[in-house]
Amino acid sequence: MKILEHLERKNIDFISSEDLAKNCGVNSAQLRKDLSFVGTLGTKGVGYSVKSLKFNLKNFLGRAQEWNLILGGISPLGIFLLQNKSLQKEGFYFLAAFDTKEENIGKVYNGVSVYNLDQLSYVLNAIKVDIGVITTETDPEIFLKAFVEQGVRAIFNLSNVPLFAENPEVKIENFSFSMALTKLSYFLKE
Amino acid sequence: MKILEHLERKNIDFISSEDLAKNCGVNSAQLRKDLSFVGTLGTKGVGYSVKSLKFNLKNFLGRAQEWNLILGGISPLGIFLLQNKSLQKEGFYFLAAFDTKEENIGKVYNGVSVYNLDQLSYVLNAIKVDIGVITTETDPEIFLKAFVEQGVRAIFNLSNVPLFAENPEVKIENFSFSMALTKLSYFLKE
DNA sequence: AAGTGTGAACTTTTTCACAGCT
DNA sequence: AGCTGTGAAAAAGTTCACACTT
């Protein structure tokens, strides 16, 4: 996606799987097979149109539309995400934030109000939410449970404790900085 | 790791691969095979000692020691990382930050000074650096190139453009919030 | 009895290689 | 001539199932 935009900026209109694969750090057959899963996107003897590939990929990945998010947990990372405008540019909008600590309730970050987690079902009556983002430092399970109970089917978990969904209807994406850095520390250690 | 600490807090001393696998959302045979790669850690008929497993895993993953980081790019995310104390608790220490914009040079965030990228080799004379963290919003390649040239072998790339190392001696870990959220948007789109 | 460690079977992913379109 | 789309082959990863240890 970002690579295609990069190519677009360089005014490259068409690209072969070979060249694109090099940009992505993968094998060209791999890339062709993956793209063929999206649809018949290339032209034999020519390659892929950067513009149309971007369009098709965007649709396929669900990035042609906008998505509504809620935040669980007013941590430094949570506040960072609310204040950061770049996710909005990508089509991801925070509509509300929730916390359990009384001192945080009622605060407003970049136009997003913080509600008590108790109010979740009440607030979700008024808005349609696609993704719940959990950034609390303690007890992420509380937010997971509450979000899933209220019908949120996609969870982005940025707390330090990895979460796993028993319900296959719910998709959880886990990420933590220390986990990512651990992969590098393992590499450095040989 | 975090799961083991969680168990420790619950005063669980020994755990079977079956139970631990449930906590990790994986198959128990998988878990046993993975752990056997680390060493002979379990006791037949009993299971794994949580404490000793944590110790062995920490060593294996290179997390028994501390690591020195440098930051490339004074973006909101970069400033967040410098100010956030939780990575220090995990043994990851930022020693210096680099930027190309004159207005940022000389600033200090949480005790970490911002230098001009030109000064990289000079600064690295004085300190040993393990991991370069790139958080710039534009031209992450500039930082990648400079870091790798100065012998940094592990790169954590948080810019929006994924990076790939041609040199197999260098390990790059890519992450972006929009990429992670895209996985969820794809899931929601079916 | 309980539960590890691990070969063997199975499944998935990746790569090769080439027929066929432009 | 150049490059895609895709079967077939190879490699990698996962699960089963059980001998063996405490």
Side-chain angles (χ1 to χ4, degrees), chain A residues 71-84 99 101 104 109 135-138 158 177, chain B residues 76-77 79-86 89 177:
Chain A
L71 186 79
I74 299 301
S75 62
L77 180 55
I79 294 168
F80 164 77
L81 288 174
L82 293 178
Q83 284 172 342
N84 201 269
D99 202 46
K101 286 195 221 78
N104 288 323
Y109 296 95
T135 66
T136 181
E137 270 147 5
T138 48
L158 288 154
F177 289 104
Chain B
L77 181 56
I79 294 169
F80 164 78
L81 288 174
L82 293 178
Q83 284 173 340
N84 201 269
K85 310 271 207 288
S86 64
K89 281 188 216 135
F177 289 104

PDB file of all heavy atoms in Angstrom, chain A residues 71-84 99 101 104 109 135-138 158 177, chain B residues 76-77 79-86 89 177:
ATOM      1  N   LEU A  71     -11.468   3.680  22.184  1.00  0.00           N
ATOM      2  CA  LEU A  71     -10.245   3.414  22.930  1.00  0.00           C
ATOM      3  C   LEU A  71     -10.594   2.862  24.308  1.00  0.00           C
ATOM      4  O   LEU A  71     -11.528   3.344  24.951  1.00  0.00           O
ATOM      5  CB  LEU A  71      -9.450   4.719  23.096  1.00  0.00           C
ATOM      6  CG  LEU A  71      -8.078   4.565  23.744  1.00  0.00           C
ATOM      7  CD1 LEU A  71      -7.071   4.055  22.712  1.00  0.00           C
ATOM      8  CD2 LEU A  71      -7.594   5.883  24.323  1.00  0.00           C
ATOM      9  N   GLY A  72      -9.843   1.868  24.757  1.00  0.00           N
ATOM     10  CA  GLY A  72     -10.006   1.344  26.110  1.00  0.00           C
ATOM     11  C   GLY A  72      -8.750   1.583  26.908  1.00  0.00           C
ATOM     12  O   GLY A  72      -7.724   0.967  26.628  1.00  0.00           O
ATOM     13  N   GLY A  73      -8.813   2.475  27.883  1.00  0.00           N
ATOM     14  CA  GLY A  73      -7.672   2.715  28.758  1.00  0.00           C
ATOM     15  C   GLY A  73      -6.923   3.989  28.414  1.00  0.00           C
ATOM     16  O   GLY A  73      -6.351   4.107  27.342  1.00  0.00           O
ATOM     17  N   ILE A  74      -6.935   4.946  29.346  1.00  0.00           N
ATOM     18  CA  ILE A  74      -6.243   6.225  29.138  1.00  0.00           C
ATOM     19  C   ILE A  74      -4.805   6.102  29.628  1.00  0.00           C
ATOM     20  O   ILE A  74      -4.461   6.522  30.723  1.00  0.00           O
ATOM     21  CB  ILE A  74      -7.006   7.361  29.865  1.00  0.00           C
ATOM     22  CG1 ILE A  74      -8.424   7.495  29.310  1.00  0.00           C
ATOM     23  CG2 ILE A  74      -6.277   8.698  29.708  1.00  0.00           C
ATOM     24  CD1 ILE A  74      -8.498   7.788  27.827  1.00  0.00           C
ATOM     25  N   SER A  75      -3.973   5.469  28.801  1.00  0.00           N
ATOM     26  CA  SER A  75      -2.550   5.342  29.098  1.00  0.00           C
ATOM     27  C   SER A  75      -1.821   6.373  28.244  1.00  0.00           C
ATOM     28  O   SER A  75      -2.411   6.981  27.369  1.00  0.00           O
ATOM     29  CB  SER A  75      -2.091   3.943  28.709  1.00  0.00           C
ATOM     30  OG  SER A  75      -2.284   3.785  27.312  1.00  0.00           O
ATOM     31  N   PRO A  76      -0.514   6.557  28.481  1.00  0.00           N
ATOM     32  CA  PRO A  76       0.232   7.474  27.604  1.00  0.00           C
ATOM     33  C   PRO A  76       0.086   7.100  26.127  1.00  0.00           C
ATOM     34  O   PRO A  76      -0.097   7.970  25.274  1.00  0.00           O
ATOM     35  CB  PRO A  76       1.678   7.315  28.077  1.00  0.00           C
ATOM     36  CG  PRO A  76       1.569   6.878  29.497  1.00  0.00           C
ATOM     37  CD  PRO A  76       0.338   6.038  29.577  1.00  0.00           C
ATOM     38  N   LEU A  77       0.135   5.804  25.833  1.00  0.00           N
ATOM     39  CA  LEU A  77      -0.013   5.373  24.441  1.00  0.00           C
ATOM     40  C   LEU A  77      -1.408   5.681  23.916  1.00  0.00           C
ATOM     41  O   LEU A  77      -1.575   6.113  22.772  1.00  0.00           O
ATOM     42  CB  LEU A  77       0.285   3.873  24.327  1.00  0.00           C
ATOM     43  CG  LEU A  77       0.184   3.257  22.935  1.00  0.00           C
ATOM     44  CD1 LEU A  77       1.069   3.992  21.934  1.00  0.00           C
ATOM     45  CD2 LEU A  77       0.556   1.776  22.976  1.00  0.00           C
ATOM     46  N   GLY A  78      -2.413   5.484  24.775  1.00  0.00           N
ATOM     47  CA  GLY A  78      -3.786   5.785  24.376  1.00  0.00           C
ATOM     48  C   GLY A  78      -3.951   7.254  24.039  1.00  0.00           C
ATOM     49  O   GLY A  78      -4.541   7.614  23.010  1.00  0.00           O
ATOM     50  N   ILE A  79      -3.405   8.104  24.883  1.00  0.00           N
ATOM     51  CA  ILE A  79      -3.492   9.550  24.652  1.00  0.00           C
ATOM     52  C   ILE A  79      -2.757   9.918  23.370  1.00  0.00           C
ATOM     53  O   ILE A  79      -3.242  10.714  22.566  1.00  0.00           O
ATOM     54  CB  ILE A  79      -2.926  10.326  25.871  1.00  0.00           C
ATOM     55  CG1 ILE A  79      -3.826  10.080  27.086  1.00  0.00           C
ATOM     56  CG2 ILE A  79      -2.810  11.807  25.562  1.00  0.00           C
ATOM     57  CD1 ILE A  79      -3.254  10.545  28.412  1.00  0.00           C
ATOM     58  N   PHE A  80      -1.606   9.287  23.169  1.00  0.00           N
ATOM     59  CA  PHE A  80      -0.859   9.514  21.925  1.00  0.00           C
ATOM     60  C   PHE A  80      -1.723   9.197  20.715  1.00  0.00           C
ATOM     61  O   PHE A  80      -1.779   9.963  19.747  1.00  0.00           O
ATOM     62  CB  PHE A  80       0.417   8.667  21.896  1.00  0.00           C
ATOM     63  CG  PHE A  80       1.016   8.559  20.529  1.00  0.00           C
ATOM     64  CD1 PHE A  80       1.746   9.599  19.985  1.00  0.00           C
ATOM     65  CD2 PHE A  80       0.812   7.412  19.764  1.00  0.00           C
ATOM     66  CE1 PHE A  80       2.275   9.505  18.713  1.00  0.00           C
ATOM     67  CE2 PHE A  80       1.334   7.313  18.484  1.00  0.00           C
ATOM     68  CZ  PHE A  80       2.062   8.362  17.960  1.00  0.00           C
ATOM     69  N   LEU A  81      -2.415   8.068  20.745  1.00  0.00           N
ATOM     70  CA  LEU A  81      -3.226   7.657  19.590  1.00  0.00           C
ATOM     71  C   LEU A  81      -4.379   8.632  19.352  1.00  0.00           C
ATOM     72  O   LEU A  81      -4.702   8.955  18.198  1.00  0.00           O
ATOM     73  CB  LEU A  81      -3.779   6.249  19.800  1.00  0.00           C
ATOM     74  CG  LEU A  81      -2.749   5.125  19.698  1.00  0.00           C
ATOM     75  CD1 LEU A  81      -3.378   3.791  20.076  1.00  0.00           C
ATOM     76  CD2 LEU A  81      -2.171   5.043  18.289  1.00  0.00           C
ATOM     77  N   LEU A  82      -4.999   9.094  20.447  1.00  0.00           N
ATOM     78  CA  LEU A  82      -6.114  10.038  20.291  1.00  0.00           C
ATOM     79  C   LEU A  82      -5.633  11.346  19.682  1.00  0.00           C
ATOM     80  O   LEU A  82      -6.318  11.945  18.849  1.00  0.00           O
ATOM     81  CB  LEU A  82      -6.756  10.326  21.653  1.00  0.00           C
ATOM     82  CG  LEU A  82      -7.490   9.164  22.327  1.00  0.00           C
ATOM     83  CD1 LEU A  82      -8.027   9.601  23.685  1.00  0.00           C
ATOM     84  CD2 LEU A  82      -8.634   8.647  21.456  1.00  0.00           C
ATOM     85  N   GLN A  83      -4.439  11.775  20.105  1.00  0.00           N
ATOM     86  CA  GLN A  83      -3.948  13.080  19.668  1.00  0.00           C
ATOM     87  C   GLN A  83      -3.345  13.049  18.270  1.00  0.00           C
ATOM     88  O   GLN A  83      -3.232  14.070  17.617  1.00  0.00           O
ATOM     89  CB  GLN A  83      -2.922  13.602  20.684  1.00  0.00           C
ATOM     90  CG  GLN A  83      -3.618  14.127  21.928  1.00  0.00           C
ATOM     91  CD  GLN A  83      -2.652  14.474  23.033  1.00  0.00           C
ATOM     92  OE1 GLN A  83      -1.504  14.029  23.016  1.00  0.00           O
ATOM     93  NE2 GLN A  83      -3.116  15.247  23.997  1.00  0.00           N
ATOM     94  N   ASN A  84      -2.960  11.857  17.849  1.00  0.00           N
ATOM     95  CA  ASN A  84      -2.274  11.747  16.568  1.00  0.00           C
ATOM     96  C   ASN A  84      -3.259  11.788  15.411  1.00  0.00           C
ATOM     97  O   ASN A  84      -4.200  11.005  15.367  1.00  0.00           O
ATOM     98  CB  ASN A  84      -1.497  10.435  16.559  1.00  0.00           C
ATOM     99  CG  ASN A  84      -0.404  10.483  15.546  1.00  0.00           C
ATOM    100  OD1 ASN A  84      -0.620  10.095  14.412  1.00  0.00           O
ATOM    101  ND2 ASN A  84       0.742  11.015  15.923  1.00  0.00           N
ATOM    102  N   ASP A  99     -12.476   4.517  30.294  1.00  0.00           N
ATOM    103  CA  ASP A  99     -11.511   4.195  31.327  1.00  0.00           C
ATOM    104  C   ASP A  99     -12.268   3.780  32.580  1.00  0.00           C
ATOM    105  O   ASP A  99     -13.497   3.935  32.651  1.00  0.00           O
ATOM    106  CB  ASP A  99     -10.592   5.397  31.603  1.00  0.00           C
ATOM    107  CG  ASP A  99      -9.276   4.961  32.252  1.00  0.00           C
ATOM    108  OD1 ASP A  99      -8.676   3.976  31.773  1.00  0.00           O
ATOM    109  OD2 ASP A  99      -8.850   5.584  33.237  1.00  0.00           O
ATOM    110  N   LYS A 101     -10.771   4.543  35.736  1.00  0.00           N
ATOM    111  CA  LYS A 101     -10.344   5.446  36.817  1.00  0.00           C
ATOM    112  C   LYS A 101     -11.147   6.746  36.763  1.00  0.00           C
ATOM    113  O   LYS A 101     -11.158   7.438  35.743  1.00  0.00           O
ATOM    114  CB  LYS A 101      -8.850   5.752  36.689  1.00  0.00           C
ATOM    115  CG  LYS A 101      -7.954   4.586  37.107  1.00  0.00           C
ATOM    116  CD  LYS A 101      -6.514   5.056  37.320  1.00  0.00           C
ATOM    117  CE  LYS A 101      -5.515   4.062  36.775  1.00  0.00           C
ATOM    118  NZ  LYS A 101      -5.362   4.130  35.288  1.00  0.00           N
ATOM    119  N   ASN A 104      -9.972  10.121  35.230  1.00  0.00           N
ATOM    120  CA  ASN A 104      -9.847  10.311  33.779  1.00  0.00           C
ATOM    121  C   ASN A 104     -11.174  10.586  33.079  1.00  0.00           C
ATOM    122  O   ASN A 104     -11.183  11.109  31.953  1.00  0.00           O
ATOM    123  CB  ASN A 104      -9.216   9.059  33.146  1.00  0.00           C
ATOM    124  CG  ASN A 104      -7.735   8.945  33.476  1.00  0.00           C
ATOM    125  OD1 ASN A 104      -7.024   9.950  33.529  1.00  0.00           O
ATOM    126  ND2 ASN A 104      -7.279   7.728  33.729  1.00  0.00           N
ATOM    127  N   TYR A 109      -9.666  14.495  24.691  1.00  0.00           N
ATOM    128  CA  TYR A 109      -8.391  14.543  23.969  1.00  0.00           C
ATOM    129  C   TYR A 109      -8.676  14.669  22.480  1.00  0.00           C
ATOM    130  O   TYR A 109      -9.294  13.760  21.900  1.00  0.00           O
ATOM    131  CB  TYR A 109      -7.587  13.265  24.223  1.00  0.00           C
ATOM    132  CG  TYR A 109      -7.170  13.093  25.657  1.00  0.00           C
ATOM    133  CD1 TYR A 109      -7.941  12.321  26.535  1.00  0.00           C
ATOM    134  CD2 TYR A 109      -6.029  13.719  26.152  1.00  0.00           C
ATOM    135  CE1 TYR A 109      -7.564  12.167  27.860  1.00  0.00           C
ATOM    136  CE2 TYR A 109      -5.654  13.567  27.474  1.00  0.00           C
ATOM    137  CZ  TYR A 109      -6.421  12.792  28.322  1.00  0.00           C
ATOM    138  OH  TYR A 109      -6.044  12.647  29.641  1.00  0.00           O
ATOM    139  N   THR A 135      -5.404  -0.053  25.278  1.00  0.00           N
ATOM    140  CA  THR A 135      -4.053   0.452  25.570  1.00  0.00           C
ATOM    141  C   THR A 135      -3.801   0.539  27.066  1.00  0.00           C
ATOM    142  O   THR A 135      -2.845   1.182  27.487  1.00  0.00           O
ATOM    143  CB  THR A 135      -3.829   1.863  24.974  1.00  0.00           C
ATOM    144  OG1 THR A 135      -4.701   2.770  25.652  1.00  0.00           O
ATOM    145  CG2 THR A 135      -4.102   1.894  23.500  1.00  0.00           C
ATOM    146  N   THR A 136      -4.661  -0.072  27.843  1.00  0.00           N
ATOM    147  CA  THR A 136      -4.508   0.004  29.292  1.00  0.00           C
ATOM    148  C   THR A 136      -3.242  -0.724  29.727  1.00  0.00           C
ATOM    149  O   THR A 136      -2.768  -1.628  29.039  1.00  0.00           O
ATOM    150  CB  THR A 136      -5.727  -0.621  29.983  1.00  0.00           C
ATOM    151  OG1 THR A 136      -5.576  -0.514  31.375  1.00  0.00           O
ATOM    152  CG2 THR A 136      -5.865  -2.090  29.598  1.00  0.00           C
ATOM    153  N   GLU A 137      -2.675  -0.312  30.836  1.00  0.00           N
ATOM    154  CA  GLU A 137      -1.470  -0.985  31.314  1.00  0.00           C
ATOM    155  C   GLU A 137      -1.777  -2.149  32.240  1.00  0.00           C
ATOM    156  O   GLU A 137      -0.962  -3.041  32.431  1.00  0.00           O
ATOM    157  CB  GLU A 137      -0.517   0.027  31.987  1.00  0.00           C
ATOM    158  CG  GLU A 137       0.450   0.616  30.970  1.00  0.00           C
ATOM    159  CD  GLU A 137       0.817   2.054  31.274  1.00  0.00           C
ATOM    160  OE1 GLU A 137       0.398   2.578  32.309  1.00  0.00           O
ATOM    161  OE2 GLU A 137       1.530   2.657  30.438  1.00  0.00           O
ATOM    162  N   THR A 138      -2.961  -2.119  32.837  1.00  0.00           N
ATOM    163  CA  THR A 138      -3.357  -3.229  33.719  1.00  0.00           C
ATOM    164  C   THR A 138      -4.730  -3.740  33.299  1.00  0.00           C
ATOM    165  O   THR A 138      -5.570  -2.978  32.841  1.00  0.00           O
ATOM    166  CB  THR A 138      -3.435  -2.760  35.182  1.00  0.00           C
ATOM    167  OG1 THR A 138      -4.175  -1.549  35.226  1.00  0.00           O
ATOM    168  CG2 THR A 138      -2.040  -2.531  35.740  1.00  0.00           C
ATOM    169  N   LEU A 158      -2.926  -3.247  22.456  1.00  0.00           N
ATOM    170  CA  LEU A 158      -1.595  -2.669  22.609  1.00  0.00           C
ATOM    171  C   LEU A 158      -1.113  -2.745  24.043  1.00  0.00           C
ATOM    172  O   LEU A 158      -0.090  -2.158  24.391  1.00  0.00           O
ATOM    173  CB  LEU A 158      -1.618  -1.211  22.143  1.00  0.00           C
ATOM    174  CG  LEU A 158      -1.729  -1.046  20.631  1.00  0.00           C
ATOM    175  CD1 LEU A 158      -2.360   0.279  20.272  1.00  0.00           C
ATOM    176  CD2 LEU A 158      -0.345  -1.155  20.013  1.00  0.00           C
ATOM    177  N   PHE A 177       5.490  -2.961  22.036  1.00  0.00           N
ATOM    178  CA  PHE A 177       6.834  -2.510  21.675  1.00  0.00           C
ATOM    179  C   PHE A 177       7.888  -3.467  22.210  1.00  0.00           C
ATOM    180  O   PHE A 177       8.850  -3.787  21.510  1.00  0.00           O
ATOM    181  CB  PHE A 177       7.080  -1.092  22.208  1.00  0.00           C
ATOM    182  CG  PHE A 177       6.301  -0.055  21.474  1.00  0.00           C
ATOM    183  CD1 PHE A 177       5.170   0.513  22.044  1.00  0.00           C
ATOM    184  CD2 PHE A 177       6.664   0.338  20.197  1.00  0.00           C
ATOM    185  CE1 PHE A 177       4.431   1.461  21.350  1.00  0.00           C
ATOM    186  CE2 PHE A 177       5.930   1.286  19.498  1.00  0.00           C
ATOM    187  CZ  PHE A 177       4.810   1.852  20.081  1.00  0.00           C
TER     188      PHE A 177
ATOM    189  N   PRO B  76       5.975  12.664  16.507  1.00  0.00           N
ATOM    190  CA  PRO B  76       5.197  12.493  17.749  1.00  0.00           C
ATOM    191  C   PRO B  76       5.423  11.115  18.368  1.00  0.00           C
ATOM    192  O   PRO B  76       5.580  10.990  19.585  1.00  0.00           O
ATOM    193  CB  PRO B  76       3.752  12.654  17.276  1.00  0.00           C
ATOM    194  CG  PRO B  76       3.834  13.506  16.056  1.00  0.00           C
ATOM    195  CD  PRO B  76       5.128  13.144  15.390  1.00  0.00           C
ATOM    196  N   LEU B  77       5.467  10.090  17.527  1.00  0.00           N
ATOM    197  CA  LEU B  77       5.692   8.739  18.050  1.00  0.00           C
ATOM    198  C   LEU B  77       7.080   8.608  18.666  1.00  0.00           C
ATOM    199  O   LEU B  77       7.251   7.991  19.721  1.00  0.00           O
ATOM    200  CB  LEU B  77       5.512   7.696  16.939  1.00  0.00           C
ATOM    201  CG  LEU B  77       5.695   6.233  17.332  1.00  0.00           C
ATOM    202  CD1 LEU B  77       4.767   5.844  18.475  1.00  0.00           C
ATOM    203  CD2 LEU B  77       5.436   5.309  16.133  1.00  0.00           C
ATOM    204  N   ILE B  79       8.863  10.999  20.042  1.00  0.00           N
ATOM    205  CA  ILE B  79       8.860  11.709  21.323  1.00  0.00           C
ATOM    206  C   ILE B  79       8.144  10.876  22.379  1.00  0.00           C
ATOM    207  O   ILE B  79       8.599  10.766  23.520  1.00  0.00           O
ATOM    208  CB  ILE B  79       8.197  13.099  21.157  1.00  0.00           C
ATOM    209  CG1 ILE B  79       9.080  13.967  20.243  1.00  0.00           C
ATOM    210  CG2 ILE B  79       7.991  13.777  22.506  1.00  0.00           C
ATOM    211  CD1 ILE B  79       8.414  15.262  19.784  1.00  0.00           C
ATOM    212  N   PHE B  80       7.056  10.248  21.968  1.00  0.00           N
ATOM    213  CA  PHE B  80       6.339   9.355  22.890  1.00  0.00           C
ATOM    214  C   PHE B  80       7.265   8.263  23.426  1.00  0.00           C
ATOM    215  O   PHE B  80       7.301   7.990  24.630  1.00  0.00           O
ATOM    216  CB  PHE B  80       5.128   8.727  22.203  1.00  0.00           C
ATOM    217  CG  PHE B  80       4.579   7.550  22.934  1.00  0.00           C
ATOM    218  CD1 PHE B  80       3.791   7.708  24.056  1.00  0.00           C
ATOM    219  CD2 PHE B  80       4.896   6.257  22.523  1.00  0.00           C
ATOM    220  CE1 PHE B  80       3.307   6.614  24.754  1.00  0.00           C
ATOM    221  CE2 PHE B  80       4.419   5.157  23.215  1.00  0.00           C
ATOM    222  CZ  PHE B  80       3.619   5.339  24.339  1.00  0.00           C
ATOM    223  N   LEU B  81       8.018   7.645  22.536  1.00  0.00           N
ATOM    224  CA  LEU B  81       8.904   6.549  22.955  1.00  0.00           C
ATOM    225  C   LEU B  81       9.987   7.037  23.906  1.00  0.00           C
ATOM    226  O   LEU B  81      10.329   6.358  24.872  1.00  0.00           O
ATOM    227  CB  LEU B  81       9.537   5.889  21.729  1.00  0.00           C
ATOM    228  CG  LEU B  81       8.596   5.039  20.878  1.00  0.00           C
ATOM    229  CD1 LEU B  81       9.290   4.566  19.607  1.00  0.00           C
ATOM    230  CD2 LEU B  81       8.062   3.846  21.662  1.00  0.00           C
ATOM    231  N   LEU B  82      10.550   8.222  23.605  1.00  0.00           N
ATOM    232  CA  LEU B  82      11.593   8.759  24.480  1.00  0.00           C
ATOM    233  C   LEU B  82      11.037   9.052  25.869  1.00  0.00           C
ATOM    234  O   LEU B  82      11.711   8.818  26.882  1.00  0.00           O
ATOM    235  CB  LEU B  82      12.167  10.052  23.888  1.00  0.00           C
ATOM    236  CG  LEU B  82      12.962   9.914  22.585  1.00  0.00           C
ATOM    237  CD1 LEU B  82      13.407  11.289  22.103  1.00  0.00           C
ATOM    238  CD2 LEU B  82      14.173   9.000  22.765  1.00  0.00           C
ATOM    239  N   GLN B  83       9.811   9.559  25.910  1.00  0.00           N
ATOM    240  CA  GLN B  83       9.246   9.986  27.194  1.00  0.00           C
ATOM    241  C   GLN B  83       8.704   8.828  28.010  1.00  0.00           C
ATOM    242  O   GLN B  83       8.544   8.932  29.214  1.00  0.00           O
ATOM    243  CB  GLN B  83       8.147  11.026  26.945  1.00  0.00           C
ATOM    244  CG  GLN B  83       8.756  12.377  26.583  1.00  0.00           C
ATOM    245  CD  GLN B  83       7.726  13.386  26.162  1.00  0.00           C
ATOM    246  OE1 GLN B  83       6.620  13.027  25.783  1.00  0.00           O
ATOM    247  NE2 GLN B  83       8.098  14.659  26.202  1.00  0.00           N
ATOM    248  N   ASN B  84       8.403   7.740  27.321  1.00  0.00           N
ATOM    249  CA  ASN B  84       7.778   6.614  27.991  1.00  0.00           C
ATOM    250  C   ASN B  84       8.796   5.793  28.776  1.00  0.00           C
ATOM    251  O   ASN B  84       9.795   5.349  28.223  1.00  0.00           O
ATOM    252  CB  ASN B  84       7.087   5.756  26.938  1.00  0.00           C
ATOM    253  CG  ASN B  84       6.040   4.900  27.566  1.00  0.00           C
ATOM    254  OD1 ASN B  84       6.310   3.782  27.963  1.00  0.00           O
ATOM    255  ND2 ASN B  84       4.847   5.459  27.706  1.00  0.00           N
ATOM    256  N   LYS B  85       8.508   5.592  30.047  1.00  0.00           N
ATOM    257  CA  LYS B  85       9.477   4.913  30.904  1.00  0.00           C
ATOM    258  C   LYS B  85       9.370   3.389  30.844  1.00  0.00           C
ATOM    259  O   LYS B  85      10.240   2.689  31.352  1.00  0.00           O
ATOM    260  CB  LYS B  85       9.285   5.356  32.364  1.00  0.00           C
ATOM    261  CG  LYS B  85       9.230   6.869  32.595  1.00  0.00           C
ATOM    262  CD  LYS B  85      10.573   7.466  32.829  1.00  0.00           C
ATOM    263  CE  LYS B  85      10.710   8.723  33.638  1.00  0.00           C
ATOM    264  NZ  LYS B  85      10.257   9.970  33.046  1.00  0.00           N
ATOM    265  N   SER B  86       8.312   2.876  30.243  1.00  0.00           N
ATOM    266  CA  SER B  86       8.096   1.428  30.384  1.00  0.00           C
ATOM    267  C   SER B  86       9.123   0.604  29.609  1.00  0.00           C
ATOM    268  O   SER B  86       9.450  -0.510  30.006  1.00  0.00           O
ATOM    269  CB  SER B  86       6.666   1.052  30.003  1.00  0.00           C
ATOM    270  OG  SER B  86       6.433   1.318  28.647  1.00  0.00           O
ATOM    271  N   LYS B  89      12.097  -0.048  31.833  1.00  0.00           N
ATOM    272  CA  LYS B  89      11.822  -1.132  32.795  1.00  0.00           C
ATOM    273  C   LYS B  89      12.055  -2.490  32.158  1.00  0.00           C
ATOM    274  O   LYS B  89      12.401  -3.453  32.818  1.00  0.00           O
ATOM    275  CB  LYS B  89      10.383  -1.033  33.297  1.00  0.00           C
ATOM    276  CG  LYS B  89      10.177   0.027  34.365  1.00  0.00           C
ATOM    277  CD  LYS B  89       8.758  -0.074  34.948  1.00  0.00           C
ATOM    278  CE  LYS B  89       8.209   1.299  35.280  1.00  0.00           C
ATOM    279  NZ  LYS B  89       6.816   1.482  34.835  1.00  0.00           N
ATOM    280  N   PHE B 177       0.882   1.336  12.798  1.00  0.00           N
ATOM    281  CA  PHE B 177      -0.477   1.234  13.334  1.00  0.00           C
ATOM    282  C   PHE B 177      -1.472   0.994  12.213  1.00  0.00           C
ATOM    283  O   PHE B 177      -2.385   0.176  12.348  1.00  0.00           O
ATOM    284  CB  PHE B 177      -0.841   2.502  14.110  1.00  0.00           C
ATOM    285  CG  PHE B 177      -0.108   2.623  15.410  1.00  0.00           C
ATOM    286  CD1 PHE B 177       0.957   3.507  15.541  1.00  0.00           C
ATOM    287  CD2 PHE B 177      -0.451   1.835  16.494  1.00  0.00           C
ATOM    288  CE1 PHE B 177       1.650   3.608  16.730  1.00  0.00           C
ATOM    289  CE2 PHE B 177       0.236   1.927  17.692  1.00  0.00           C
ATOM    290  CZ  PHE B 177       1.290   2.810  17.812  1.00  0.00           C
TER     291      PHE B 177
END
